[in-house]
């Protein structure tokens, strides 16, 4: 599933290809995507210039010179394919943004779960989003206030996009491991000291250095992550064995040996 770094990269690629250019057409090909992009919305985007491309949480916002915004979400496995409009259509192209200069931006998604819609000027279809995981103002005080009334464990609470925008299943697990925090502890009980450690851990796991696949592969085999998807394998910090549990319908990987905070 595309997580924050992948969505950020996708938004940059899109910006590079489309910024300042005029939209020739926007169309949803797959019926599931057509439900969210009406013919009137497609028409509203036609002939408009792309002024800004922005990531907010895992949403990509394409701001048009009309004040309207195309809002894209990749969900489980969407991505952009960018090339000339004359090239053969990608087999899993679900929506197309064609530019007046002959560039075709295809939203490809094998499972067709992605979405594209158009928000009219002044309107927003985005859910309530918390501070960005990459926002320097994300700190222990903010997290403490955001988690104070949560009645769930810290892992599902951190997955809630109204707490932190852009943090998904992989990086929440990795950050909790880095901060040595138990994913099952109640979110509301996390102390400022623990949350300070957690904020540092979130920054670390999202940093390009930590994410470089080679970091662990040199000495520890092919695993890219410290705990994610490593059920039954040895912890890299203690003698523990990584466990998988299910919280709020999602897999949580953690080390019961050292994640005791
Ligand atoms: Zn451990």
């Amino acid at each position: 599933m595309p997580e924050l770094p992948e969505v950020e990269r996708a938004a940059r690629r899109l910006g590079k290809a489309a910024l300042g250019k005029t939209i020739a057409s926007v169309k949803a090909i797959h019926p599931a995507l057509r439900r969210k992009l009406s013919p009137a919305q497609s028409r509203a985007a036609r002939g408009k210039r792309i002024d800004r491309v922005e990531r907010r949480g895992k949403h990509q916002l394409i701001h048009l010179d009309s004040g309207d915004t195309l809002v894209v979400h990749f969900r489980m496995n969407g991505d952009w394919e960018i090339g000339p409009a004359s090239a053969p259509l990608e087999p899993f192209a679900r929506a197309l943004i064609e530019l007046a200069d002959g560039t075709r931006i295809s939203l490809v998604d094998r499972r067709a779960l992605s979405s594209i819609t158009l928000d009219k000027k002044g309107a927003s279809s985005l859910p309530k989003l918390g501070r960005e995981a990459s926002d320097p103002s994300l700190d222990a005080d903010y997290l403490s206030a955001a988690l104070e009334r949560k009645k769930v464990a810290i892992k599902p609470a951190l997955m809630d996009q109204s707490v932190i925008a852009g943090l998904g299943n992989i990086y929440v697990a990795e950050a909790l491991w880095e901060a040595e925090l138990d994913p099952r502890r109640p979110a509301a009980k996390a102390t400022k000291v623990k949350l300070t450690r957690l904020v540092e851990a979130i920054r670390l796991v999202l940093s390009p250095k930590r994410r470089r696949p080679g970091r662990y592969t040199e000495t520890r085999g092919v695993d890219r992550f410290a705990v994610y998807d490593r059920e039954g394998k040895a912890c890299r910090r203690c003698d523990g064995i990584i466990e998988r549990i299910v919280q709020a319908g999602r897999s949580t990987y953690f080390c019961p040996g050292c994640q005791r905070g």
Side-chain angles (χ1 to χ4, degrees):
M1 177 190 300
E3 290 244 7
L4 188 146
E6 289 79 31
V7 180
E8 177 74 38
R9 258 199 308 278
R12 286 206 191 134
R13 275 174 63 222
L14 175 64
K16 225 168 151 184
L19 217 56
K21 294 184 183 170
T22 301
I23 292 178
S25 72
V26 177
K27 52 183 167 234
I29 301 170
H30 192 278
L33 280 84
R34 272 209 296 271
R35 278 198 287 276
K36 290 213 168 165
L37 187 76
S38 69
Q41 288 176 314
S42 289
R43 275 197 303 278
R46 203 177 297 155
K48 304 300 184 296
R49 192 184 62 228
I50 296 174
D51 276 351
R52 196 155 59 89
V53 176
E54 172 189 23
R55 181 192 57 76
R56 185 79 178 93
K58 291 190 193 172
H59 306 263
Q60 294 175 70
L61 310 183
I62 305 166
H63 298 283
L64 309 181
D65 63 349
S66 55
D68 297 347
T69 306
L70 283 165
V71 181
V72 176
H73 199 299
F74 282 164
R75 302 289 164 203
M76 300 301 277
N77 46 1
D79 202 359
W80 297 121
E81 275 298 331
I82 300 170
S86 54
L89 205 57
E90 292 285 330
F92 297 107
R94 307 308 190 186
L96 305 176
I97 303 173
E98 294 193 323
L99 305 178
D101 74 348
T103 303
R104 184 170 68 211
I105 299 159
S106 309
L107 200 180
V108 290
D109 181 352
R110 184 174 288 265
R111 293 169 64 184
L113 297 169
S114 297
S115 68
I116 179 166
T117 190
L118 184 112
D119 285 353
K120 293 301 285 179
K121 185 179 181 175
S124 175
S125 61
L126 294 189
K128 181 179 179 283
L129 293 170
R131 267 183 210 174
E132 290 286 331
S134 54
D135 184 341
S137 72
L138 178 74
D139 59 15
D141 286 335
Y142 168 79
L143 267 188
S144 176
L147 296 175
E148 157 181 275
R149 279 187 203 85
K150 293 276 166 200
K151 294 202 164 56
V152 293
I154 190 148
K155 157 73 175 10
L158 292 172
M159 299 276 295
D160 181 342
Q161 299 297 297
S162 72
V163 173
I164 303 181
L167 213 54
N169 205 30
I170 295 174
Y171 292 106
V172 168
E174 293 291 296
L176 287 169
W177 182 84
E178 284 288 353
E180 299 181 30
L181 297 180
D182 187 331
R184 302 165 294 185
R185 291 283 170 89
K189 294 237 170 88
T191 61
K192 290 265 175 81
V193 174
K194 288 180 185 175
L195 293 176
T196 301
R197 242 161 55 209
L198 180 60
V199 169
E200 284 170 14
I202 291 170
R203 301 235 154 87
L204 177 69
V205 299
L206 290 173
S207 72
K209 208 171 151 197
R210 166 66 154 63
R211 286 191 289 112
R212 199 176 56 221
R215 178 183 155 174
Y216 294 116
T217 58
E218 291 154 24
T219 53
R220 298 274 193 167
V222 295
D223 295 320
R224 184 179 158 191
F225 301 109
V227 280
Y228 182 78
D229 208 18
R230 296 193 70 240
E231 183 182 13
K233 296 189 177 167
C235 177
R236 297 191 168 121
R237 188 167 47 211
C238 76
D239 302 334
I241 300 292
I242 306 304
E243 279 185 19
R244 184 184 79 93
I245 56 171
V246 175
Q247 293 180 292
R250 304 292 303 274
S251 289
T252 298
Y253 299 89
F254 74 110
C255 174
C258 57
Q259 289 182 247
R260 293 163 168 270

